Amino acid sequence: MAFPKIALASLLTLALICTSSFADECKEASPSKDIVDTAVSAGSFKTLVAAVTAADLVDTLKSEGPFTVFAPTDEAFAALPEGTVASLLKPENKDKLVAILTYHVVPGKVMAKDAMKLKEAKSVEGSTIDIQVKDGAVMIDEAKVVKADIVTSNGVIHVIDKVIMP
């Protein structure tokens, strides 16, 4: 039995709409921007991006990963004692800067719901980061996660309100 032309056209249109909707969902599920590009486009991580650049970690954070990054905002860096950021960005302090930045990174993709079940995580720097839930908020050392689960093509970013130190 043959479909009438109008029914076939309607089915094809419906299939095209469903396929397009599904494609949009897939695009959201696997973002095209990596950790660095996501941080740059957010606009609130200028200091972090400058530090990652000074530490020569851009290529690493653009690589396949996956990585979990606890990303301090510009306000978090501004809360450090005066002159700290400027000092860390100097070439002679690159090793210290690398240590601080890699302390903010955990290998693998750890979503917030999974992080809440952990007590600690080993950072790329090598030290252990304490994780706890305090008053309903996830705490990474003494920093509060203010926005979680920003999914990127090579991991996930959790925004924190303080710079954490190894």
Side-chain angles (χ1 to χ4, degrees), residues 39-52:
V40 168
S41 66
S44 55
F45 303 106
K46 291 179 180 89
T47 308
L48 178 61
V49 171
V52 166

Side-chain angles (χ1 to χ4, degrees), residues 21-161:
S21 295
F22 182 70
D24 287 343
E25 287 176 23
C26 288
K27 192 184 292 182
E28 289 175 20
S30 58
S32 59
K33 288 184 182 178
D34 59 42
I35 289 168
V36 175
D37 292 340
T38 300
V40 168
S41 66
S44 55
F45 303 106
K46 291 179 180 89
T47 308
L48 178 61
V49 171
V52 166
T53 302
D56 291 326
L57 293 173
V58 171
D59 289 340
T60 301
L61 291 175
K62 287 178 101 28
S63 70
E64 189 175 323
F67 304 105
T68 298
V69 175
F70 299 105
T73 61
D74 289 336
E75 291 79 17
F77 278 101
L80 291 172
E82 189 173 332
T84 301
V85 173
S87 175
L88 286 170
L89 294 177
K90 291 180 179 177
E92 61 268 23
N93 294 326
K94 182 179 175 183
D95 290 343
K96 187 173 185 177
L97 180 61
V98 168
I100 292 168
L101 293 174
T102 56
Y103 184 65
H104 287 78
V105 181
V106 172
K109 184 177 179 180
V110 184
M111 302 302 286
K113 65 178 174 50
D114 300 319
M116 291 177 76
K117 298 173 191 171
L118 301 174
K119 298 265 187 237
E120 59 185 31
K122 187 159 183 146
S123 72
V124 171
E125 180 266 342
S127 299
T128 301
I129 298 170
D130 293 325
I131 302 171
Q132 62 179 310
V133 178
K134 191 183 215 179
D135 299 325
V138 177
M139 304 294 292
I140 307 300
D141 284 349
E142 294 301 314
K144 181 179 179 181
V145 175
V146 293
K147 184 167 184 176
D149 295 342
I150 301 169
V151 179
T152 69
S153 63
N154 63 342
V156 62
I157 298 171
H158 303 294
V159 181
I160 55 176
D161 66 352

